[in-house]
Amino acid sequence: MTFRPAPRALATATAALLALTGVTACSSDGSAGTDPQRVDVVAGFYPLQFLAERIGGDAVAVTNLARPGAEPHDLELNPRQVGQINEAELVLFLHGFQPAVDEAVERNAGDRAFDVATVEPLQDVTAGGHSHDGEEDGHGHAEEASGGVKDPHVWLDPSRLATIGDKLAERLGTIDPDRAGEYTQRATTLRTELERLDAEFTEGLQTCQRREIVVSHTAFGYLTRKYQLEQIGITGLTPEDEPSPQRLAAVAEEAREHQATTIFFETLVSPKVAETIAREVGARTAVLDPLEGLSAEGDGDYFSVMRTNLQTLRTALSCS
C-alpha cells in the first residue's frame, strides 16, 4: 500500500523544506558568508552596524538584520536572516532588545555571538528618568519595582559606546589576528570622535532654562543621566504601547508644571500621542531620535543624528 501524506502534513513538510533551503542558501545575495577575505559580521540593529563598520573598515562585511525605516524592537526574522546568523563569523546583538534575535542567537550563533550588554552593566529603566508612583513602564512593570527591567539604549551615551567599540576591536582581533592592530587603531580613532561628541553635549546642555524633556517613550535614560537632564516618558521602553488616559493626563500635568515648550516624538513610530499631549498643553512637537535605526538608507549616521538631537534639545530647553 502506498502511503500518501495528508494535505496539512504535506504543507508542513514543504514549509520546513523551504525554511531549510532559505537557511542554507541565504548567502547568495551578498549577505554573510560570501567574502572569504573579510570577516562576516551580522548586527542586530543600526548602532551595532555603525560600530562594526567604523572599527572593521574594509576588513569586515556587515549585515544589519533591521532594515532602515523599520522599528527594530519587534523584528521578526525570516529563514534567510536566521541563516545569516548561522553563517556569520561574529554576531553583534544586545540581549533583551530584540527577542527574535536573542532566540536565533541562542540556537544558531554559539560562541560567535557578542552581546554588547555584557561590556558594561545596563542601568535600570527608571535611572535617569522620571518616577511615577504606581505607573507602569512599557513592559507592564510598576516603575517603583522595575529594578529588574534594564534600559538597552546604551548607545545614547557616547562614552559607553566608545567602550563597547574598544571591546569589539578586541573581539575582531581574536577572529582576525593579522589585522588586530588595525581594529585597535580604528577603535581609538572612533573613541576620540565620540569623546568630542560627548564634550559638545556637555557644553551645549550646560546652561538651559529647563532640564525636563517629555518624550514619546523612555529611551533616553542614558542621555539624560549623562547630561543631567530628566525624561518624562509618555510610554515605557516599548514605543508601540498605548498609554492609558490617566497616563496622558499625568504627563500633560507635568508638561505644564515644567513649562515644556516641546513634546518629543521619534522617527520610527507614530507621532499621534505626542501631538495629543502637545495640543493639550499648547506646545509644539519635534523629533528626538533614539537612534534605534535610520529612517532611510543614507540618512546620515550616528554622529549626524546625535548632533541634530543636540541642537533640537538646545532649542527646546532654551539653552544659552
Side-chain angles (χ1 to χ4, degrees):
M1 182 173 65
T2 303
F3 172 73
R4 299 181 185 277
R8 179 176 296 179
L10 181 60
T12 302
T14 302
L17 180 59
L18 288 173
L20 180 60
T21 302
V23 169
T24 57
C26 71
S27 61
S28 61
D29 61 351
S31 59
T34 61
D35 189 345
Q37 302 303 316
R38 298 196 288 174
V39 178
D40 296 307
V41 179
V42 167
F45 58 104
Y46 172 70
L48 305 185
Q49 174 194 358
F50 167 78
L51 271 187
E53 290 176 341
R54 285 297 306 268
I55 293 170
D58 293 338
V60 302
V62 183
T63 300
N64 185 354
L65 295 173
R67 69 183 188 277
E71 213 293 318
H73 283 98
D74 296 323
L75 173 69
E76 295 293 336
L77 299 178
N78 59 43
R80 179 180 59 83
Q81 291 172 310
V82 174
Q84 290 170 337
I85 291 172
N86 187 57
E87 294 181 358
E89 293 171 81
L90 182 64
V91 181
L92 282 176
F93 77 113
L94 197 160
H95 182 76
F97 184 64
Q98 297 168 293
V101 175
D102 291 349
E103 182 178 353
V105 165
E106 183 178 354
R107 292 183 176 182
N108 298 279
D111 60 4
R112 295 170 291 108
F114 177 27
D115 178 9
V116 302
T118 63
V119 174
E120 288 188 352
L122 297 181
Q123 67 186 33
D124 291 342
V125 64
T126 53
H130 199 82
S131 179
H132 302 268
D133 291 346
E135 289 289 345
E136 291 188 348
D137 67 18
H139 296 280
H141 301 274
E143 288 196 16
E144 285 185 301
S146 64
V149 180
K150 300 298 180 181
D151 183 352
H153 303 84
V154 62
W155 58 90
L156 293 176
D157 180 341
S159 61
R160 287 176 179 255
L161 190 64
T163 300
I164 294 171
D166 292 338
K167 294 298 183 182
L168 175 57
E170 292 178 12
R171 185 66 178 267
L172 285 170
T174 63
I175 297 170
D176 183 13
D178 291 343
R179 290 183 284 204
E182 297 175 23
Y183 299 132
T184 299
Q185 174 137 22
R186 281 192 285 265
T188 300
T189 299
L190 179 60
R191 171 173 283 279
T192 299
E193 294 180 50
L194 289 168
E195 288 173 348
R196 186 181 307 125
L197 178 67
D198 180 29
E200 290 174 23
F201 266 82
T202 299
E203 181 179 355
L205 298 174
Q206 197 164 28
T207 54
C208 303
Q209 292 184 19
R210 292 173 296 281
R211 305 207 71 79
E212 301 82 15
I213 60 173
V214 182
V215 295
S216 58
H217 91 287
T218 52
F220 299 93
Y222 292 93
L223 187 148
T224 53
R225 168 180 276 187
K226 184 67 184 282
Y227 305 111
Q228 289 77 54
L229 302 176
E230 185 176 11
Q231 71 173 337
I232 301 168
I234 299 173
T235 65
L237 282 178
T238 305
E240 294 84 1
D241 287 338
E242 289 291 334
S244 66
Q246 294 84 356
R247 180 66 185 150
L248 289 174
V251 172
E253 181 180 347
E254 290 196 62
R256 292 191 192 94
E257 176 188 339
H258 297 295
Q259 300 180 333
T261 63
T262 306
I263 309 299
F264 294 108
F265 66 97
E266 54 198 73
T267 54
L268 300 182
V269 297
S270 171
K272 289 183 179 180
V273 174
E275 290 169 348
T276 298
I277 297 289
R279 283 194 301 270
E280 178 73 18
V281 302
R284 62 180 178 268
T285 59
V287 171
L288 191 64
D289 197 331
L291 255 170
E292 295 170 356
L294 297 179
S295 57
E297 194 73 48
D299 188 18
D301 67 357
Y302 175 86
F303 285 107
S304 64
V305 174
M306 285 291 283
R307 289 190 168 102
T308 298
N309 280 345
L310 174 57
Q311 292 308 313
T312 301
L313 286 169
R314 283 179 50 79
T315 298
L317 300 176
S318 301
C319 305
S320 58

